[in-house]
């Protein structure tokens, strides 16, 4: 029974109805033991369901055998046969020393806002844009150069009227021509500043790789 009560107390410590507070340290528990006295009214955690109920202290033991659960309590309204030995951290009372609040976790560093590079986007280009949690096929209508830093791209949802056109930002677009400024590639290098239209033309991989130079692009000579 003692082990069940101790287990209950370790996991369930919220006031009255639930038990999730941090467990008091050893010195705090010692202070609580001295503050307890027979007849004191408090709330104790029951081993039956892990909930806190009004109770009265019946006995406080100093025996080593009762070190884990030194407090015997009688739950108000129940016979003495339902009395339980409970741990120090399984009781709550305004008269008991309060356990120090656990240290607040350090605030997570705010993620740096992405800066989008819209230079690869062109009027008439088709891509996808988010609306109401889903991505839809769209066509770029125009790209504002000033005054719309957060949503500089006006898109037309294909299959819908112009009344549905919307200004969106990079966080709501899916397009290979859209990049994040300063983002590194898989090999750790920063992406080239070459416009997307030029990359699409000049950096086409040949069907048959050159035997001596794997980066050789014959389309450049052809143009």
């Amino acid at each position: 029974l003692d082990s069940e009560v101790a287990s209950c107390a370790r996991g369930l410590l919220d006031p009255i109805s639930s038990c999730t507070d941090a467990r008091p340290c050893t010195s705090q528990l010692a202070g609580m033991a001295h503050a307890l006295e027979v007849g004191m009214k408090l709330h104790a955690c029951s081993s039956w369901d892990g909930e806190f109920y009004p109770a009265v202290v019946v006995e406080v033991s100093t025996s080593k055998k009762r070190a884990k659960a030194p407090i015997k309590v009688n739950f108000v309204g129940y016979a003495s046969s339902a009395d339980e030995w409970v741990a120090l951290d399984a009781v709550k009372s305004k008269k008991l020393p309060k356990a120090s609040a656990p240290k607040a976790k350090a605030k997570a560093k705010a993620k740096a806002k992405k800066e989008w590079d819209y230079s690869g986007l062109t009027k008439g280009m088709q891509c996808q844009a988010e609306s109401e949690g889903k991505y839809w096929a769209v066509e770029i209508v125009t790209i504002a150069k000033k005054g719309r830093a957060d949503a500089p791209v006006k898109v037309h949802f294909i299959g819908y009227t112009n009344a549905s056109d919307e200004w969106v930002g990079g966080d709501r677009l899916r397009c290979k021509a859209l990049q994040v400024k300063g983002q590194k590639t898989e090999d750790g290098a920063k992406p080239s500043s070459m416009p997307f239209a030029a990359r699409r033309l000049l950096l086409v991989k040949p069907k048959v790789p050159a035997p001596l130079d794997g980066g050789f692009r014959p389309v450049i000579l052809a143009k």
Side-chain angles (χ1 to χ4, degrees):
L1 180 62
D2 290 348
S3 61
E4 291 178 358
V5 175
S7 176
C8 159
R10 280 195 294 271
L12 306 165
L13 296 176
D14 276 349
I16 310 305
S17 60
S18 60
C19 321
T20 54
D21 291 344
R23 190 177 183 182
C25 64
T26 303
S27 59
Q28 290 170 337
L29 291 176
M32 292 170 63
H34 290 298
L36 292 172
E37 58 184 18
V38 176
M40 178 183 288
K41 295 180 180 181
L42 39 68
H43 286 84
C45 180
S46 171
S47 63
W48 290 96
D49 57 5
E51 300 292 337
F52 277 92
Y53 296 96
V56 177
V57 176
V58 176
E59 183 180 347
V60 180
S61 175
T62 57
S63 172
K64 292 183 179 180
K65 294 181 179 180
R66 291 287 182 185
K68 292 184 178 180
I71 313 164
K72 187 176 183 180
V73 297
N74 170 252
F75 292 98
V76 178
Y78 290 84
S80 59
S81 58
D83 291 358
E84 292 185 27
W85 287 93
V86 298
L88 288 166
D89 52 1
V91 295
K92 296 284 186 180
S93 174
K94 292 181 179 180
K95 295 182 179 180
L96 295 176
K98 291 184 178 180
S100 59
K103 293 183 179 179
K105 294 182 179 180
K107 293 183 178 179
K109 292 183 179 179
K111 293 183 179 180
K113 188 176 180 180
K114 291 183 179 179
E115 292 187 19
W116 298 96
D117 180 5
Y118 300 98
S119 61
L121 303 181
T122 58
K123 181 179 179 180
M125 180 180 289
Q126 293 188 359
C127 52
Q128 292 183 331
E130 182 273 332
S131 179
E132 298 181 354
K134 295 182 179 180
Y135 279 85
W136 309 83
V138 298
E139 182 178 319
I140 295 176
V141 177
T142 186
I143 303 165
K145 295 183 178 180
K146 294 181 180 180
R148 288 187 174 274
D150 294 332
V153 185
K154 187 176 184 180
V155 297
H156 169 71
F157 290 89
I158 297 175
Y160 293 84
T161 63
N162 294 341
S164 300
D165 291 0
E166 194 173 348
W167 289 93
V168 298
D171 56 334
R172 293 180 57 192
L173 286 172
R174 283 181 178 175
C175 184
K176 291 182 179 180
L178 181 66
Q179 292 186 346
V180 178
K181 291 183 178 179
Q183 187 177 31
K184 294 183 178 181
T185 59
E186 294 181 357
D187 58 1
K190 290 187 176 181
S192 172
S193 58
M194 182 185 299
F196 177 76
R199 293 200 303 272
R200 183 173 57 181
L201 177 64
L202 300 177
L203 303 183
V204 177
K205 292 184 178 180
K207 293 182 179 180
V208 180
L212 300 179
D213 184 1
F216 178 68
R217 299 291 185 267
V219 70
I220 298 177
L221 299 179
K223 296 296 180 180

